[in-house]
mmCIF file of all heavy atoms in Angstrom:
data_model
loop_
_atom_site.group_PDB
_atom_site.id
_atom_site.type_symbol
_atom_site.label_atom_id
_atom_site.label_comp_id
_atom_site.label_asym_id
_atom_site.label_seq_id
_atom_site.Cartn_x
_atom_site.Cartn_y
_atom_site.Cartn_z
ATOM 1 N N PHE S 475 0.832 -1.189 0.000
ATOM 2 C CA PHE S 475 0.000 0.000 0.000
ATOM 3 C C PHE S 475 0.877 1.254 0.000
ATOM 4 O O PHE S 475 1.971 1.255 0.570
ATOM 5 C CB PHE S 475 -0.910 0.013 1.230
ATOM 6 C CG PHE S 475 -1.536 -1.319 1.536
ATOM 7 C CD1 PHE S 475 -1.370 -1.917 2.777
ATOM 8 C CD2 PHE S 475 -2.289 -1.978 0.579
ATOM 9 C CE1 PHE S 475 -1.939 -3.152 3.065
ATOM 10 C CE2 PHE S 475 -2.863 -3.211 0.851
ATOM 11 C CZ PHE S 475 -2.682 -3.797 2.095
ATOM 12 N N VAL S 476 0.407 2.314 -0.628
ATOM 13 C CA VAL S 476 1.107 3.590 -0.585
ATOM 14 C C VAL S 476 0.736 4.247 0.744
ATOM 15 O O VAL S 476 -0.349 4.818 0.891
ATOM 16 C CB VAL S 476 0.720 4.477 -1.780
ATOM 17 C CG1 VAL S 476 1.433 5.827 -1.696
ATOM 18 C CG2 VAL S 476 1.065 3.770 -3.088
ATOM 19 N N ASP S 477 1.626 4.114 1.710
ATOM 20 C CA ASP S 477 1.315 4.484 3.086
ATOM 21 C C ASP S 477 1.992 5.764 3.560
ATOM 22 O O ASP S 477 1.745 6.224 4.671
ATOM 23 C CB ASP S 477 1.697 3.339 4.033
ATOM 24 C CG ASP S 477 3.190 3.005 3.966
ATOM 25 O OD1 ASP S 477 3.911 3.599 3.142
ATOM 26 O OD2 ASP S 477 3.642 2.129 4.740
ATOM 27 N N GLY S 478 2.869 6.343 2.732
ATOM 28 C CA GLY S 478 3.564 7.543 3.145
ATOM 29 C C GLY S 478 4.729 7.281 4.078
ATOM 30 O O GLY S 478 5.391 8.225 4.533
ATOM 31 N N TYR S 479 5.000 6.028 4.347
ATOM 32 C CA TYR S 479 6.102 5.664 5.244
ATOM 33 C C TYR S 479 7.039 4.678 4.558
ATOM 34 O O TYR S 479 8.157 5.023 4.200
ATOM 35 C CB TYR S 479 5.551 5.077 6.546
ATOM 36 C CG TYR S 479 6.603 4.499 7.465
ATOM 37 C CD1 TYR S 479 7.666 5.273 7.911
ATOM 38 C CD2 TYR S 479 6.527 3.173 7.907
ATOM 39 C CE1 TYR S 479 8.639 4.745 8.754
ATOM 40 C CE2 TYR S 479 7.481 2.629 8.754
ATOM 41 C CZ TYR S 479 8.538 3.423 9.174
ATOM 42 O OH TYR S 479 9.497 2.898 10.005
ATOM 43 N N VAL S 480 6.579 3.456 4.324
ATOM 44 C CA VAL S 480 7.371 2.490 3.560
ATOM 45 C C VAL S 480 7.420 2.911 2.094
ATOM 46 O O VAL S 480 8.475 2.859 1.445
ATOM 47 C CB VAL S 480 6.778 1.078 3.692
ATOM 48 C CG1 VAL S 480 7.542 0.088 2.820
ATOM 49 C CG2 VAL S 480 6.810 0.624 5.151
ATOM 50 N N LEU S 481 6.278 3.335 1.566
ATOM 51 C CA LEU S 481 6.178 3.810 0.189
ATOM 52 C C LEU S 481 5.428 5.132 0.179
ATOM 53 O O LEU S 481 4.287 5.194 0.647
ATOM 54 C CB LEU S 481 5.440 2.792 -0.690
ATOM 55 C CG LEU S 481 6.129 1.450 -0.937
ATOM 56 C CD1 LEU S 481 5.190 0.524 -1.698
ATOM 57 C CD2 LEU S 481 7.425 1.629 -1.692
ATOM 58 N N ASP S 482 6.064 6.161 -0.349
ATOM 59 C CA ASP S 482 5.368 7.452 -0.406
ATOM 60 C C ASP S 482 4.721 7.706 -1.754
ATOM 61 O O ASP S 482 3.979 8.680 -1.918
ATOM 62 C CB ASP S 482 6.298 8.605 -0.023
ATOM 63 C CG ASP S 482 7.591 8.614 -0.807
ATOM 64 O OD1 ASP S 482 7.684 7.889 -1.827
ATOM 65 O OD2 ASP S 482 8.521 9.337 -0.413
ATOM 66 N N LYS S 483 4.978 6.836 -2.725
ATOM 67 C CA LYS S 483 4.329 6.943 -4.033
ATOM 68 C C LYS S 483 4.468 5.615 -4.763
ATOM 69 O O LYS S 483 5.359 4.810 -4.437
ATOM 70 C CB LYS S 483 4.928 8.085 -4.863
ATOM 71 C CG LYS S 483 6.435 7.962 -5.100
ATOM 72 C CD LYS S 483 6.960 9.093 -5.978
ATOM 73 C CE LYS S 483 6.943 10.429 -5.297
ATOM 74 N NZ LYS S 483 7.970 10.573 -4.221
ATOM 75 N N PRO S 484 3.629 5.331 -5.752
ATOM 76 C CA PRO S 484 3.792 4.106 -6.546
ATOM 77 C C PRO S 484 5.151 4.081 -7.244
ATOM 78 O O PRO S 484 5.726 5.126 -7.553
ATOM 79 C CB PRO S 484 2.649 4.182 -7.557
ATOM 80 C CG PRO S 484 1.638 5.085 -6.934
ATOM 81 C CD PRO S 484 2.437 6.096 -6.161
ATOM 82 N N PHE S 485 5.645 2.868 -7.521
ATOM 83 C CA PHE S 485 6.954 2.723 -8.152
ATOM 84 C C PHE S 485 7.033 3.499 -9.458
ATOM 85 O O PHE S 485 8.031 4.181 -9.727
ATOM 86 C CB PHE S 485 7.258 1.249 -8.414
ATOM 87 C CG PHE S 485 8.464 1.045 -9.287
ATOM 88 C CD1 PHE S 485 9.742 1.107 -8.760
ATOM 89 C CD2 PHE S 485 8.324 0.819 -10.656
ATOM 90 C CE1 PHE S 485 10.870 0.953 -9.566
ATOM 91 C CE2 PHE S 485 9.432 0.654 -11.473
ATOM 92 C CZ PHE S 485 10.703 0.720 -10.932
ATOM 93 N N ASP S 486 6.003 3.393 -10.304
ATOM 94 C CA ASP S 486 6.071 4.042 -11.610
ATOM 95 C C ASP S 486 6.209 5.559 -11.473
ATOM 96 O O ASP S 486 6.967 6.190 -12.209
ATOM 97 C CB ASP S 486 4.830 3.690 -12.434
ATOM 98 C CG ASP S 486 4.738 2.196 -12.727
ATOM 99 O OD1 ASP S 486 5.788 1.599 -13.020
ATOM 100 O OD2 ASP S 486 3.646 1.637 -12.647
ATOM 101 N N ASP S 487 5.499 6.132 -10.519
ATOM 102 C CA ASP S 487 5.624 7.576 -10.283
ATOM 103 C C ASP S 487 7.026 7.917 -9.798
ATOM 104 O O ASP S 487 7.629 8.913 -10.225
ATOM 105 C CB ASP S 487 4.593 8.042 -9.254
ATOM 106 C CG ASP S 487 3.160 7.926 -9.756
ATOM 107 O OD1 ASP S 487 2.977 7.688 -10.972
ATOM 108 O OD2 ASP S 487 2.236 8.061 -8.939
ATOM 109 N N ALA S 488 7.551 7.097 -8.883
ATOM 110 C CA ALA S 488 8.891 7.344 -8.361
ATOM 111 C C ALA S 488 9.934 7.238 -9.469
ATOM 112 O O ALA S 488 10.893 8.018 -9.517
ATOM 113 C CB ALA S 488 9.204 6.355 -7.244
ATOM 114 N N CYS S 489 9.718 6.292 -10.366
ATOM 115 C CA CYS S 489 10.643 6.108 -11.494
ATOM 116 C C CYS S 489 10.645 7.350 -12.384
ATOM 117 O O CYS S 489 11.702 7.912 -12.701
ATOM 118 C CB CYS S 489 10.224 4.871 -12.272
ATOM 119 S SG CYS S 489 11.439 4.263 -13.448
ATOM 120 N N ILE S 490 9.464 7.796 -12.770
ATOM 121 C CA ILE S 490 9.341 8.956 -13.656
ATOM 122 C C ILE S 490 9.879 10.214 -12.980
ATOM 123 O O ILE S 490 10.532 11.048 -13.609
ATOM 124 C CB ILE S 490 7.873 9.136 -14.081
ATOM 125 C CG1 ILE S 490 7.451 7.973 -14.998
ATOM 126 C CG2 ILE S 490 7.663 10.471 -14.796
ATOM 127 C CD1 ILE S 490 5.967 7.899 -15.272
ATOM 128 N N GLU S 491 9.658 10.331 -11.677
ATOM 129 C CA GLU S 491 10.126 11.508 -10.948
ATOM 130 C C GLU S 491 11.607 11.443 -10.603
ATOM 131 O O GLU S 491 12.184 12.423 -10.116
ATOM 132 C CB GLU S 491 9.312 11.675 -9.664
ATOM 133 C CG GLU S 491 7.846 12.018 -9.914
ATOM 134 C CD GLU S 491 7.018 12.007 -8.645
ATOM 135 O OE1 GLU S 491 7.622 12.112 -7.542
ATOM 136 O OE2 GLU S 491 5.779 11.903 -8.742
ATOM 137 N N GLY S 492 12.229 10.289 -10.832
ATOM 138 C CA GLY S 492 13.667 10.164 -10.599
ATOM 139 C C GLY S 492 14.049 9.939 -9.158
ATOM 140 O O GLY S 492 15.178 10.268 -8.760
ATOM 141 N N THR S 493 13.134 9.347 -8.360
ATOM 142 C CA THR S 493 13.444 9.158 -6.948
ATOM 143 C C THR S 493 13.738 7.708 -6.581
ATOM 144 O O THR S 493 13.929 7.406 -5.395
ATOM 145 C CB THR S 493 12.276 9.671 -6.076
ATOM 146 O OG1 THR S 493 11.074 8.979 -6.414
ATOM 147 C CG2 THR S 493 12.085 11.165 -6.261
ATOM 148 N N ILE S 494 13.774 6.788 -7.556
ATOM 149 C CA ILE S 494 14.162 5.416 -7.226
ATOM 150 C C ILE S 494 15.673 5.357 -7.035
ATOM 151 O O ILE S 494 16.404 6.286 -7.376
ATOM 152 C CB ILE S 494 13.699 4.401 -8.294
ATOM 153 C CG1 ILE S 494 14.446 4.603 -9.622
ATOM 154 C CG2 ILE S 494 12.204 4.459 -8.501
ATOM 155 C CD1 ILE S 494 14.225 3.455 -10.602
ATOM 156 N N ALA S 495 16.143 4.256 -6.481
ATOM 157 C CA ALA S 495 17.564 4.106 -6.175
ATOM 158 C C ALA S 495 18.422 4.363 -7.411
ATOM 159 O O ALA S 495 18.169 3.794 -8.482
ATOM 160 C CB ALA S 495 17.824 2.711 -5.628
ATOM 161 N N ASP S 496 19.411 5.194 -7.256
ATOM 162 C CA ASP S 496 20.313 5.550 -8.347
ATOM 163 C C ASP S 496 21.450 4.541 -8.397
ATOM 164 O O ASP S 496 22.585 4.813 -7.995
ATOM 165 C CB ASP S 496 20.840 6.972 -8.124
ATOM 166 C CG ASP S 496 21.653 7.486 -9.313
ATOM 167 O OD1 ASP S 496 21.508 6.928 -10.419
ATOM 168 O OD2 ASP S 496 22.450 8.422 -9.117
ATOM 169 N N VAL S 497 21.138 3.330 -8.892
ATOM 170 C CA VAL S 497 22.092 2.226 -8.944
ATOM 171 C C VAL S 497 22.015 1.578 -10.320
ATOM 172 O O VAL S 497 21.037 1.763 -11.043
ATOM 173 C CB VAL S 497 21.781 1.170 -7.852
ATOM 174 C CG1 VAL S 497 21.843 1.788 -6.458
ATOM 175 C CG2 VAL S 497 20.421 0.504 -8.079
ATOM 176 N N PRO S 498 23.021 0.793 -10.712
ATOM 177 C CA PRO S 498 22.915 0.038 -11.966
ATOM 178 C C PRO S 498 21.835 -1.040 -11.854
ATOM 179 O O PRO S 498 21.627 -1.615 -10.781
ATOM 180 C CB PRO S 498 24.301 -0.602 -12.120
ATOM 181 C CG PRO S 498 25.193 0.119 -11.174
ATOM 182 C CD PRO S 498 24.332 0.606 -10.064
ATOM 183 N N TYR S 499 21.172 -1.322 -12.978
ATOM 184 C CA TYR S 499 20.093 -2.312 -13.004
ATOM 185 C C TYR S 499 20.335 -3.338 -14.102
ATOM 186 O O TYR S 499 20.861 -3.013 -15.180
ATOM 187 C CB TYR S 499 18.743 -1.645 -13.268
ATOM 188 C CG TYR S 499 18.225 -0.797 -12.139
ATOM 189 C CD1 TYR S 499 18.591 0.543 -12.021
ATOM 190 C CD2 TYR S 499 17.363 -1.327 -11.179
ATOM 191 C CE1 TYR S 499 18.116 1.331 -10.979
ATOM 192 C CE2 TYR S 499 16.873 -0.548 -10.135
ATOM 193 C CZ TYR S 499 17.258 0.779 -10.044
ATOM 194 O OH TYR S 499 16.785 1.551 -9.017
ATOM 195 N N MET S 500 19.923 -4.574 -13.827
ATOM 196 C CA MET S 500 19.677 -5.572 -14.865
ATOM 197 C C MET S 500 18.190 -5.867 -14.816
ATOM 198 O O MET S 500 17.608 -5.964 -13.738
ATOM 199 C CB MET S 500 20.462 -6.866 -14.605
ATOM 200 C CG MET S 500 21.840 -6.936 -15.239
ATOM 201 S SD MET S 500 22.723 -8.456 -14.762
ATOM 202 C CE MET S 500 21.571 -9.726 -15.272
ATOM 203 N N ILE S 501 17.580 -6.030 -15.981
ATOM 204 C CA ILE S 501 16.140 -6.255 -16.018
ATOM 205 C C ILE S 501 15.801 -7.135 -17.215
ATOM 206 O O ILE S 501 16.358 -6.964 -18.304
ATOM 207 C CB ILE S 501 15.375 -4.911 -16.072
ATOM 208 C CG1 ILE S 501 13.868 -5.130 -15.989
ATOM 209 C CG2 ILE S 501 15.770 -4.078 -17.282
ATOM 210 C CD1 ILE S 501 13.080 -3.843 -15.740
ATOM 211 N N GLY S 502 14.913 -8.108 -17.014
ATOM 212 C CA GLY S 502 14.589 -8.988 -18.125
ATOM 213 C C GLY S 502 13.360 -9.833 -17.867
ATOM 214 O O GLY S 502 12.649 -9.662 -16.873
ATOM 215 N N PHE S 503 13.124 -10.784 -18.781
ATOM 216 C CA PHE S 503 11.924 -11.613 -18.731
ATOM 217 C C PHE S 503 12.175 -12.898 -19.487
ATOM 218 O O PHE S 503 13.231 -13.069 -20.125
ATOM 219 C CB PHE S 503 10.731 -10.854 -19.308
ATOM 220 C CG PHE S 503 10.803 -10.560 -20.797
ATOM 221 C CD1 PHE S 503 9.793 -10.981 -21.647
ATOM 222 C CD2 PHE S 503 11.873 -9.849 -21.354
ATOM 223 C CE1 PHE S 503 9.839 -10.715 -23.012
ATOM 224 C CE2 PHE S 503 11.929 -9.575 -22.713
ATOM 225 C CZ PHE S 503 10.906 -10.015 -23.546
ATOM 226 N N THR S 504 11.225 -13.823 -19.419
ATOM 227 C CA THR S 504 11.338 -15.072 -20.162
ATOM 228 C C THR S 504 10.499 -14.981 -21.433
ATOM 229 O O THR S 504 9.571 -14.176 -21.534
ATOM 230 C CB THR S 504 10.865 -16.273 -19.322
ATOM 231 O OG1 THR S 504 9.454 -16.183 -19.136
ATOM 232 C CG2 THR S 504 11.559 -16.325 -17.977
ATOM 233 N N GLN S 505 10.803 -15.843 -22.363
ATOM 234 C CA GLN S 505 10.153 -15.810 -23.668
ATOM 235 C C GLN S 505 8.636 -15.975 -23.568
ATOM 236 O O GLN S 505 7.889 -15.381 -24.343
ATOM 237 C CB GLN S 505 10.741 -16.912 -24.548
ATOM 238 C CG GLN S 505 10.379 -16.824 -26.009
ATOM 239 C CD GLN S 505 11.152 -17.850 -26.823
ATOM 240 O OE1 GLN S 505 11.154 -19.038 -26.501
ATOM 241 N NE2 GLN S 505 11.833 -17.400 -27.858
ATOM 242 N N ASN S 506 8.166 -16.763 -22.605
ATOM 243 C CA ASN S 506 6.734 -17.003 -22.463
ATOM 244 C C ASN S 506 6.055 -16.057 -21.479
ATOM 245 O O ASN S 506 4.865 -16.209 -21.200
ATOM 246 C CB ASN S 506 6.471 -18.453 -22.011
ATOM 247 C CG ASN S 506 6.791 -19.464 -23.094
ATOM 248 O OD1 ASN S 506 7.458 -19.155 -24.065
ATOM 249 N ND2 ASN S 506 6.336 -20.683 -22.911
ATOM 250 N N ASP S 507 6.775 -15.101 -20.925
ATOM 251 C CA ASP S 507 6.150 -14.102 -20.071
ATOM 252 C C ASP S 507 5.167 -13.277 -20.895
ATOM 253 O O ASP S 507 5.261 -13.226 -22.131
ATOM 254 C CB ASP S 507 7.214 -13.176 -19.468
ATOM 255 C CG ASP S 507 7.777 -13.692 -18.153
ATOM 256 O OD1 ASP S 507 7.056 -14.398 -17.437
ATOM 257 O OD2 ASP S 507 8.942 -13.370 -17.836
ATOM 258 N N PRO S 508 4.218 -12.593 -20.251
ATOM 259 C CA PRO S 508 3.262 -11.761 -21.009
ATOM 260 C C PRO S 508 3.971 -10.748 -21.901
ATOM 261 O O PRO S 508 4.992 -10.167 -21.503
ATOM 262 C CB PRO S 508 2.473 -11.058 -19.899
ATOM 263 C CG PRO S 508 2.560 -11.972 -18.736
ATOM 264 C CD PRO S 508 3.939 -12.591 -18.806
#
C-alpha cells in the first residue's frame, strides 16, 4: 500500500520523478512471459 512511510508513491511515479535508487540495473523476462 502507498502508506507515506514504507512507500510514499507508486513505483512508476517514483521512477518517472527520478526518486528510485540511483544504482545500476539488470532487467529482463522469459520468452513465455506476457
Side-chain angles (χ1 to χ4, degrees):
F475 317 124
V476 178
D477 60 356
Y479 172 57
V480 176
L481 293 174
D482 52 13
K483 58 178 70 71
F485 169 81
D486 297 319
D487 294 349
C489 194
I490 292 169
E491 293 173 20
T493 58
I494 68 168
D496 187 19
V497 300
Y499 290 87
M500 269 176 56
I501 185 168
F503 67 124
T504 69
Q505 192 173 52
N506 290 15
D507 271 331

